[in-house]
Amino acid sequence: MRFWRRPLDMPPVKLSRGEVIILPERCKGCGFCIAYCPRGVLALSEEFNKKGYHPPYVKEADKCVNCHFCEIICPEFAIYSINLFEKEGEKAGA
Amino acid sequence: MRGKKRELPGHPMDRLLRVDRIPHIWCSGCGIGTIFGGVLAAIQKLDIDLNKLAMVSGIGCTGRMAGYIKVDSFHTTHGRAIPFATGLKLARPDIKVIVASGDGDLFAIGGNHLIHAARRNIDMTVICVNNLNYGMTGGQQAPSTPLGFKTTTTPEGSPEEPFNFCYLAAACGAVYVARWTALHIRLLTNSIAEALQKKGFTFIEILCPCPSVFGRRNKMGNALETLKLYHDRSVIKNEIDPKEAGIDLFGEIVVGKFVDRERPTFIDYYRSIVCHETPEDNVIRIAR
């Protein structure tokens, strides 16, 4: 949310952080995860997997907020995200 | 890649999947995998005892779902998923039965079974994946093919009006009727979880992109374009009369939960009328 002036009593917003893990051997290159990632974390790679599809790769790992949307939209069970919050700790506050 | 030598938890759905059969047979861009993931997520969310759950499916692309889930499952003959599930439910009333099948299997070949299972209100959850044609057999016209759309058997365009599945299921007596698309995954997962907890015949229709058969013949582009069409055209209208909830690929695709009501199930009636049992007997039987 944007304010013209930051309220003095505004609590710090904690952003969750996630790490995307891709299982490229399961991927069929449909591109759902790339198109529907709300933070634009993924991109299509130039490499081929064993079946000849282009799996995605993590382009901007820092942007992932662990929303799990890539995980649930993937028809191939080839991508998931794990929570990084414990590791990053205070750094995640924005 | 060499630096990463840590133990990864694995995909969260692997617990419910027959991992040795993955990758599955569905085409690149097919939405059935996403819908299957939604079913698994609903099972995981409810934390159902996997020994008290069974999945039955018919023939077709969606019929393969039963082969990939790691619970007791059965892949029946074409159109006969509901009769099998009915028998299963009556023999083992304590287990939850999910029927997952396509539009052609449930409404064309097995249409008769579906309407009578809904009329009797047999306690099961029917997941109907609607990809607007018979995908696996080569893209023939199905009862869901919209007017004017091309299929292998209607190369000039389908001259028939399609069924409104939700209206049909509701009219036959289903206690829970909803329609979603392969893009409404979180809503779909919640809806499946709700339907699984409900007693009686619950029906969920899910629109699914079929890029390599239906989409290709109708110049609908790849699966992402179909998902974009769902995104642009679908309108959520909960609790409306399913009669007015139509699927118009050029206009409005009405999705939402249309019916949620209570009716005694077949087993309830059978126990009271045929077995002359009172509700107290039922309590005693459960206690045993």
Side-chain angles (χ1 to χ4, degrees), chain B residues 14 26 71 91 121-122 161 177 198 209 219 257 270 279:
Chain B
D14 280 359
W26 298 312
V71 301
N121 199 19
I122 291 166
E161 287 225 20
V177 178
K198 220 170 147 60
K219 309 266 186 293
K257 181 176 88 177
Y270 190 85

Side-chain angles (χ1 to χ4, degrees), chain B residues 147-286:
Chain B
L147 197 65
F149 275 72
K150 287 177 185 163
T151 61
T152 8
T153 45
T154 56
E156 298 295 320
S158 167
E160 298 172 19
E161 287 225 20
F163 264 139
N164 179 346
F165 293 153
C166 288
Y167 183 34
L168 179 66
C172 294
V175 293
Y176 184 98
V177 178
R179 178 192 289 143
W180 302 104
T181 74
L183 193 60
H184 296 87
I185 317 160
R186 292 214 197 267
L187 291 163
L188 168 69
T189 305
N190 292 343
S191 190
I192 295 172
E194 218 176 324
L196 278 173
Q197 282 170 303
K198 220 170 147 60
K199 221 174 150 208
F201 189 89
T202 51
F203 176 82
I204 300 169
E205 177 192 358
I206 307 128
L207 276 177
C208 168
C210 182
S212 38
V213 183
F214 188 78
R216 182 165 58 87
R217 289 218 165 72
N218 291 292
K219 309 266 186 293
M220 286 166 82
N222 62 12
L224 276 173
E225 279 172 53
T226 313
L227 284 192
K228 192 173 178 304
L229 182 128
Y230 293 159
H231 181 265
D232 295 342
R233 304 234 182 251
S234 60
V235 185
I236 299 177
K237 289 184 182 172
N238 286 324
E239 313 282 330
I240 69 157
D241 187 350
K243 191 179 180 180
E244 279 126 46
I247 301 172
D248 183 358
L249 294 181
F250 299 113
E252 214 173 52
I253 301 171
V254 182
V255 299
K257 181 176 88 177
F258 305 133
V259 176
D260 192 352
R261 60 188 168 195
E262 298 294 331
R263 260 178 77 207
T265 65
F266 174 75
I267 295 177
D268 296 338
Y269 279 132
Y270 190 85
R271 280 181 183 153
S272 67
I273 294 170
V274 182
C275 306
H276 303 289
E277 283 183 11
T278 55
E280 289 81 55
D281 293 332
N282 205 4
V283 173
I284 293 164
R285 182 173 339 94
I286 291 165

Side-chain angles (χ1 to χ4, degrees), chain B residues 7-83:
Chain B
E7 199 69 10
L8 286 172
H11 197 282
M13 292 303 161
D14 280 359
R15 189 178 73 93
L16 291 165
L17 279 175
R18 290 183 200 267
V19 184
D20 50 322
R21 295 191 177 191
I22 300 287
H24 50 61
I25 60 142
W26 298 312
C27 310
S28 169
C30 176
I32 299 175
T34 309
I35 296 161
F36 184 47
V39 177
L40 298 184
I43 294 169
Q44 203 155 42
K45 189 178 155 191
L46 293 179
D47 205 14
I48 302 172
D49 179 4
L50 298 186
N51 293 321
K52 294 272 168 109
L53 181 72
M55 187 185 256
V56 184
S57 68
I59 299 295
C61 293
T62 318
R64 293 292 181 122
M65 268 192 199
Y68 297 119
I69 188 169
K70 208 156 82 183
V71 301
D72 290 340
S73 56
F74 198 79
H75 192 182
T76 63
T77 46
H78 210 343
R80 311 300 177 238
I82 288 180

Side-chain angles (χ1 to χ4, degrees), chain B residues 83-95 97 122-123 266-267 270-271 285:
Chain B
F84 185 90
T86 304
L88 185 62
K89 183 70 198 178
L90 298 186
R92 288 283 305 275
D94 56 321
I95 64 168
V97 182
I122 291 166
D123 189 6
F266 174 75
I267 295 177
Y270 190 85
R271 280 181 183 153
R285 182 173 339 94

